[in-house]
Each structure stands twice: as structure tokens, then as C-alpha cells.
Short mmCIF file of all heavy atoms in Angstrom, two decimals:
data_model
loop_
_atom_site.label_atom_id
_atom_site.label_comp_id
_atom_site.label_asym_id
_atom_site.label_seq_id
_atom_site.Cartn_x
_atom_site.Cartn_y
_atom_site.Cartn_z
N GLN E 8 112.22 111.17 101.60
CA GLN E 8 113.37 110.69 100.82
C GLN E 8 113.52 111.29 99.47
O GLN E 8 114.63 111.70 99.05
CB GLN E 8 113.30 109.14 100.67
CG GLN E 8 113.63 108.44 102.04
CD GLN E 8 113.38 106.95 101.81
OE1 GLN E 8 112.77 106.48 100.86
NE2 GLN E 8 113.86 106.19 102.89
N VAL E 9 112.40 111.51 98.85
CA VAL E 9 112.43 112.11 97.50
C VAL E 9 112.96 113.66 97.59
O VAL E 9 113.94 113.91 96.96
CB VAL E 9 111.06 112.15 96.82
CG1 VAL E 9 110.96 113.24 95.64
CG2 VAL E 9 110.61 110.79 96.38
N LEU E 10 112.40 114.38 98.44
CA LEU E 10 112.81 115.78 98.60
C LEU E 10 114.22 115.87 99.17
O LEU E 10 115.00 116.73 98.71
CB LEU E 10 111.82 116.52 99.47
CG LEU E 10 111.93 118.02 99.49
CD1 LEU E 10 111.72 118.59 98.13
CD2 LEU E 10 110.94 118.62 100.58
N GLY E 11 114.63 114.88 100.10
CA GLY E 11 115.99 114.92 100.66
C GLY E 11 116.97 114.64 99.61
O GLY E 11 118.08 115.27 99.63
N ASN E 12 116.67 113.74 98.69
CA ASN E 12 117.61 113.37 97.61
C ASN E 12 117.76 114.61 96.69
O ASN E 12 119.04 114.91 96.32
CB ASN E 12 117.12 112.20 96.81
CG ASN E 12 118.07 111.75 95.77
OD1 ASN E 12 118.19 112.39 94.65
ND2 ASN E 12 118.83 110.73 95.99
N LEU E 13 116.74 115.29 96.34
CA LEU E 13 116.90 116.46 95.47
C LEU E 13 117.64 117.65 96.17
O LEU E 13 118.51 118.30 95.55
CB LEU E 13 115.46 116.99 94.98
CG LEU E 13 114.66 115.95 94.21
CD1 LEU E 13 113.36 116.54 93.81
CD2 LEU E 13 115.42 115.46 93.00
N VAL E 14 117.34 117.87 97.39
CA VAL E 14 118.14 119.01 98.13
C VAL E 14 119.60 118.50 98.24
O VAL E 14 120.44 119.34 98.12
CB VAL E 14 117.49 119.22 99.52
CG1 VAL E 14 118.30 120.25 100.25
CG2 VAL E 14 116.04 119.79 99.30
N GLY E 15 119.76 117.23 98.60
CA GLY E 15 121.11 116.79 98.72
C GLY E 15 122.00 116.91 97.52
O GLY E 15 123.22 117.33 97.47
N ASN E 16 121.30 116.59 96.34
CA ASN E 16 122.09 116.73 95.13
C ASN E 16 122.31 118.26 94.87
O ASN E 16 123.34 118.63 94.36
CB ASN E 16 121.21 116.25 93.90
CG ASN E 16 121.27 114.64 93.87
OD1 ASN E 16 122.17 114.05 94.44
ND2 ASN E 16 120.34 114.19 93.01
N ALA E 17 121.44 119.05 95.07
CA ALA E 17 121.56 120.54 94.98
C ALA E 17 122.76 121.01 95.64
O ALA E 17 123.54 121.72 95.19
CB ALA E 17 120.29 121.30 95.29
N VAL E 18 122.87 120.55 96.88
CA VAL E 18 124.01 120.95 97.79
C VAL E 18 125.41 120.40 97.23
O VAL E 18 126.38 121.09 97.12
CB VAL E 18 123.86 120.50 99.17
CG1 VAL E 18 125.06 120.76 100.15
CG2 VAL E 18 122.51 121.19 99.85
N ASN E 19 125.30 119.15 96.93
CA ASN E 19 126.53 118.46 96.43
C ASN E 19 127.11 119.15 95.12
O ASN E 19 128.34 119.16 94.92
CB ASN E 19 126.30 117.01 96.16
CG ASN E 19 126.24 116.24 97.44
OD1 ASN E 19 126.70 116.61 98.58
ND2 ASN E 19 125.56 115.15 97.43
N TYR E 20 126.26 119.57 94.26
CA TYR E 20 126.61 119.97 92.94
C TYR E 20 126.50 121.50 92.78
O TYR E 20 126.42 122.05 91.67
CB TYR E 20 125.80 119.31 91.77
CG TYR E 20 126.02 117.80 91.89
CD1 TYR E 20 124.96 116.96 92.27
CD2 TYR E 20 127.24 117.22 91.62
CE1 TYR E 20 125.13 115.49 92.32
CE2 TYR E 20 127.41 115.92 91.69
CZ TYR E 20 126.42 115.14 92.03
OH TYR E 20 126.64 113.75 92.11
N LEU E 21 126.72 122.19 93.90
CA LEU E 21 126.90 123.70 93.77
C LEU E 21 128.10 124.05 93.15
O LEU E 21 129.16 123.26 93.20
CB LEU E 21 126.79 124.31 95.13
CG LEU E 21 125.39 124.34 95.79
CD1 LEU E 21 125.44 124.75 97.24
CD2 LEU E 21 124.45 125.13 95.02
N ASP E 22 128.25 125.18 92.56
CA ASP E 22 129.43 125.71 91.87
C ASP E 22 130.34 126.40 92.96
O ASP E 22 129.92 127.43 93.45
CB ASP E 22 129.05 126.69 90.71
CG ASP E 22 130.21 126.96 89.84
OD1 ASP E 22 131.36 126.92 90.36
OD2 ASP E 22 130.00 127.33 88.69
N PRO E 23 131.54 125.82 93.13
CA PRO E 23 132.35 126.46 94.23
C PRO E 23 132.92 127.83 93.87
O PRO E 23 133.38 128.56 94.69
CB PRO E 23 133.61 125.43 94.31
CG PRO E 23 133.57 124.75 92.95
CD PRO E 23 132.19 124.64 92.52
N SER E 24 132.67 128.24 92.56
CA SER E 24 133.22 129.56 92.12
C SER E 24 132.27 130.73 92.54
O SER E 24 132.63 131.85 92.39
CB SER E 24 133.39 129.59 90.65
OG SER E 24 132.17 129.48 89.91
N ARG E 25 131.07 130.44 93.01
CA ARG E 25 130.07 131.51 93.44
C ARG E 25 129.30 131.03 94.68
O ARG E 25 129.11 129.78 94.88
CB ARG E 25 129.17 131.88 92.31
CG ARG E 25 128.42 130.70 91.76
CD ARG E 25 127.38 131.28 90.68
NE ARG E 25 126.65 130.16 90.10
CZ ARG E 25 126.96 129.42 88.96
NH1 ARG E 25 128.11 129.72 88.39
NH2 ARG E 25 126.14 128.52 88.53
N PRO E 26 128.70 131.98 95.45
CA PRO E 26 127.84 131.55 96.58
C PRO E 26 126.66 130.71 96.08
O PRO E 26 126.03 131.06 95.16
CB PRO E 26 127.41 133.02 97.10
CG PRO E 26 128.46 133.86 96.69
CD PRO E 26 128.88 133.44 95.31
N GLY E 27 126.42 129.64 96.94
CA GLY E 27 125.35 128.79 96.48
C GLY E 27 124.06 129.32 97.03
O GLY E 27 123.94 129.72 98.13
N HIS E 28 123.08 129.03 96.20
CA HIS E 28 121.65 129.33 96.55
C HIS E 28 120.73 128.28 96.15
O HIS E 28 120.70 127.94 94.89
CB HIS E 28 121.26 130.77 95.94
CG HIS E 28 119.94 131.30 96.36
ND1 HIS E 28 119.21 132.16 95.63
CD2 HIS E 28 119.19 130.97 97.40
CE1 HIS E 28 118.07 132.37 96.25
NE2 HIS E 28 118.07 131.75 97.38
N ILE E 29 119.92 127.84 97.02
CA ILE E 29 118.96 126.71 96.69
C ILE E 29 117.58 127.25 97.15
O ILE E 29 117.43 127.76 98.31
CB ILE E 29 119.27 125.50 97.45
CG1 ILE E 29 120.69 124.92 97.01
CG2 ILE E 29 118.28 124.36 97.19
CD1 ILE E 29 121.28 123.81 97.83
N SER E 30 116.53 127.06 96.36
CA SER E 30 115.22 127.50 96.78
C SER E 30 114.31 126.14 96.62
O SER E 30 114.39 125.45 95.67
CB SER E 30 114.69 128.54 95.76
OG SER E 30 115.41 129.65 95.81
N ILE E 31 113.46 126.15 97.61
CA ILE E 31 112.42 124.97 97.67
C ILE E 31 111.08 125.71 97.65
O ILE E 31 110.79 126.54 98.49
CB ILE E 31 112.52 124.07 98.85
CG1 ILE E 31 114.06 123.58 99.12
CG2 ILE E 31 111.54 123.00 98.91
CD1 ILE E 31 114.28 122.78 100.38
N GLY E 32 110.32 125.44 96.68
CA GLY E 32 109.00 126.06 96.59
C GLY E 32 107.96 125.27 95.76
O GLY E 32 108.17 124.06 95.56
N HIS E 33 106.90 125.88 95.37
CA HIS E 33 105.90 125.21 94.58
C HIS E 33 105.46 126.05 93.39
O HIS E 33 105.62 127.33 93.38
CB HIS E 33 104.73 124.75 95.38
CG HIS E 33 103.58 125.83 95.47
ND1 HIS E 33 103.71 126.98 96.12
CD2 HIS E 33 102.36 125.81 94.87
CE1 HIS E 33 102.59 127.67 96.03
NE2 HIS E 33 101.76 126.92 95.24
N VAL E 34 104.87 125.46 92.35
CA VAL E 34 104.53 126.13 91.15
C VAL E 34 102.88 126.30 91.27
O VAL E 34 102.27 125.25 91.37
CB VAL E 34 104.78 125.38 89.89
CG1 VAL E 34 104.36 126.12 88.72
CG2 VAL E 34 106.34 125.12 89.90
N PRO E 35 102.37 127.51 91.31
CA PRO E 35 100.92 127.59 91.25
C PRO E 35 100.33 126.87 90.16
O PRO E 35 100.83 126.69 89.07
CB PRO E 35 100.82 129.23 91.03
CG PRO E 35 102.07 129.82 91.53
CD PRO E 35 103.15 128.88 91.20
N GLN E 36 99.14 126.35 90.37
CA GLN E 36 98.39 125.44 89.44
C GLN E 36 98.34 126.11 88.10
O GLN E 36 98.50 125.44 87.09
CB GLN E 36 97.12 125.04 89.94
CG GLN E 36 96.30 124.07 89.08
CD GLN E 36 97.00 122.82 88.87
OE1 GLN E 36 97.52 122.19 89.85
NE2 GLN E 36 96.93 122.23 87.74
N ALA E 37 98.07 127.38 88.03
CA ALA E 37 97.83 128.08 86.75
C ALA E 37 99.15 128.18 86.03
O ALA E 37 99.05 128.35 84.77
CB ALA E 37 97.33 129.47 87.03
N GLU E 38 100.35 128.06 86.55
CA GLU E 38 101.61 128.09 85.86
C GLU E 38 102.24 126.70 85.68
O GLU E 38 103.27 126.60 84.99
CB GLU E 38 102.60 129.04 86.74
CG GLU E 38 102.05 130.47 86.91
CD GLU E 38 102.94 131.17 87.89
OE1 GLU E 38 104.16 130.75 87.96
OE2 GLU E 38 102.54 132.12 88.48
N SER E 39 101.64 125.70 86.22
CA SER E 39 102.24 124.33 86.12
C SER E 39 102.05 123.76 84.75
O SER E 39 101.05 123.88 84.11
CB SER E 39 101.67 123.39 87.27
OG SER E 39 102.18 122.12 87.10
N VAL E 40 103.10 123.02 84.31
CA VAL E 40 102.95 122.32 83.03
C VAL E 40 102.14 121.06 83.19
O VAL E 40 101.79 120.36 82.12
CB VAL E 40 104.35 121.98 82.47
CG1 VAL E 40 105.15 123.26 82.16
CG2 VAL E 40 105.12 121.04 83.36
N VAL E 41 101.86 120.69 84.44
CA VAL E 41 100.99 119.51 84.66
C VAL E 41 99.59 119.88 84.67
O VAL E 41 99.16 120.59 85.66
CB VAL E 41 101.38 118.83 85.98
CG1 VAL E 41 100.55 117.61 86.26
CG2 VAL E 41 102.92 118.42 85.97
N ALA E 42 98.87 119.58 83.81
CA ALA E 42 97.49 119.94 83.53
C ALA E 42 96.58 118.97 84.37
O ALA E 42 95.80 118.28 83.79
CB ALA E 42 97.09 120.05 82.08
N ALA E 43 96.73 118.97 85.65
CA ALA E 43 96.03 118.12 86.54
C ALA E 43 95.77 118.68 87.89
O ALA E 43 96.76 118.79 88.67
CB ALA E 43 96.71 116.74 86.66
N PRO E 44 94.67 119.25 88.16
CA PRO E 44 94.34 119.83 89.50
C PRO E 44 94.57 118.86 90.61
O PRO E 44 94.66 119.31 91.78
CB PRO E 44 92.93 120.32 89.37
CG PRO E 44 92.30 119.53 88.35
CD PRO E 44 93.44 119.21 87.32
N SER E 45 94.69 117.63 90.38
CA SER E 45 94.76 116.56 91.46
C SER E 45 96.22 116.45 91.88
O SER E 45 96.59 115.87 92.85
CB SER E 45 94.34 115.23 90.98
OG SER E 45 95.08 114.81 89.82
N LEU E 46 97.12 117.22 91.16
CA LEU E 46 98.54 117.18 91.51
C LEU E 46 99.05 118.59 91.86
O LEU E 46 98.54 119.50 91.38
CB LEU E 46 99.41 116.70 90.33
CG LEU E 46 99.13 115.35 89.86
CD1 LEU E 46 100.06 115.05 88.58
CD2 LEU E 46 99.55 114.29 90.94
N VAL E 47 99.99 118.66 92.74
CA VAL E 47 100.62 119.91 93.13
C VAL E 47 102.14 119.69 92.83
O VAL E 47 102.75 118.73 93.16
CB VAL E 47 100.42 120.26 94.73
CG1 VAL E 47 100.97 119.08 95.65
CG2 VAL E 47 101.11 121.45 95.03
N THR E 48 102.67 120.73 92.26
CA THR E 48 104.11 120.71 91.72
C THR E 48 105.03 121.51 92.74
O THR E 48 104.79 122.67 92.81
CB THR E 48 104.24 121.31 90.28
OG1 THR E 48 103.42 120.51 89.47
CG2 THR E 48 105.61 121.14 89.72
N TYR E 49 106.06 120.81 93.12
CA TYR E 49 107.10 121.43 93.92
C TYR E 49 108.46 121.54 93.12
O TYR E 49 108.58 120.78 92.14
CB TYR E 49 107.35 120.61 95.21
CG TYR E 49 106.09 120.38 96.02
CD1 TYR E 49 105.35 119.18 95.86
CD2 TYR E 49 105.71 121.28 97.00
CE1 TYR E 49 104.16 118.93 96.60
CE2 TYR E 49 104.61 121.06 97.74
CZ TYR E 49 103.79 119.94 97.60
OH TYR E 49 102.70 119.74 98.29
N PHE E 50 109.26 122.30 93.60
CA PHE E 50 110.56 122.45 92.78
C PHE E 50 111.70 122.60 93.93
O PHE E 50 111.47 123.09 95.03
CB PHE E 50 110.56 123.57 91.86
CG PHE E 50 110.56 125.06 92.43
CD1 PHE E 50 111.55 125.60 93.01
CD2 PHE E 50 109.30 125.70 92.42
CE1 PHE E 50 111.47 126.88 93.59
CE2 PHE E 50 109.17 126.96 92.90
CZ PHE E 50 110.24 127.64 93.43
N VAL E 51 112.83 122.14 93.43
CA VAL E 51 114.12 122.44 94.19
C VAL E 51 115.09 123.06 93.07
O VAL E 51 115.49 122.48 92.12
CB VAL E 51 114.76 121.17 94.76
CG1 VAL E 51 116.13 121.50 95.35
CG2 VAL E 51 113.80 120.55 95.69
N ARG E 52 115.35 124.32 93.32
CA ARG E 52 116.16 125.09 92.20
C ARG E 52 117.55 125.45 92.92
O ARG E 52 117.60 125.88 94.06
CB ARG E 52 115.39 126.33 91.77
CG ARG E 52 116.13 127.17 90.80
CD ARG E 52 115.25 128.47 90.52
NE ARG E 52 113.98 128.18 89.79
CZ ARG E 52 112.94 128.43 90.30
NH1 ARG E 52 112.75 129.13 91.50
NH2 ARG E 52 111.81 128.19 89.66
N ASP E 53 118.58 125.41 92.06
CA ASP E 53 119.87 125.77 92.57
C ASP E 53 120.61 126.54 91.46
O ASP E 53 120.26 126.59 90.29
CB ASP E 53 120.70 124.48 92.97
CG ASP E 53 120.95 123.64 91.75
OD1 ASP E 53 121.73 124.04 90.86
OD2 ASP E 53 120.44 122.46 91.64
N ASN E 54 121.71 127.22 91.89
CA ASN E 54 122.54 127.94 90.86
C ASN E 54 123.88 127.14 90.79
O ASN E 54 124.89 127.81 90.76
CB ASN E 54 122.77 129.32 91.37
CG ASN E 54 123.56 129.51 92.72
OD1 ASN E 54 123.62 128.51 93.48
ND2 ASN E 54 124.15 130.53 92.88
N GLY E 55 123.87 125.86 90.73
CA GLY E 55 124.98 124.97 90.74
C GLY E 55 125.65 124.81 89.35
O GLY E 55 125.55 125.66 88.46
#
């Protein structure tokens, strides 16, 4: 439900003036702002 909500928002709020692009991925631990190896960070990125 969490991921579905984020992807759904990304789709809903795309900019109609340009082709929409959404990426679902993760941030390597070394690059994450969360300084906790017990957590893994995912992202939903859009050009909306």
C-alpha cells in the first residue's frame, strides 16, 4: 500500500506538457542519508 500510494501519486501528478517518466529504485547504503545499516532506502522519482 505504501509503495502503491507513492507510485499512484507519481502517475497522477505527471506534467501533461512532457512525457512522463517514473523510476522505482533504491539508494545504496553508502549514499543514503539514513545512517542505519538496519534500514534500506527505496525511492519513487518522477518528472511531474
Side-chain angles (χ1 to χ4, degrees):
Q8 289 174 343
V9 166
L10 194 59
N12 184 281
L13 297 180
V14 175
N16 280 349
V18 172
N19 285 335
Y20 299 112
L21 288 171
D22 189 333
S24 68
R25 60 176 178 266
H28 183 204
I29 298 167
S30 299
I31 304 171
H33 91 289
V34 181
Q36 182 63 39
E38 302 174 19
S39 177
V40 300
V41 180
S45 61
L46 297 175
V47 57
T48 302
Y49 305 93
F50 66 79
V51 177
R52 179 183 294 118
D53 66 69
N54 66 338

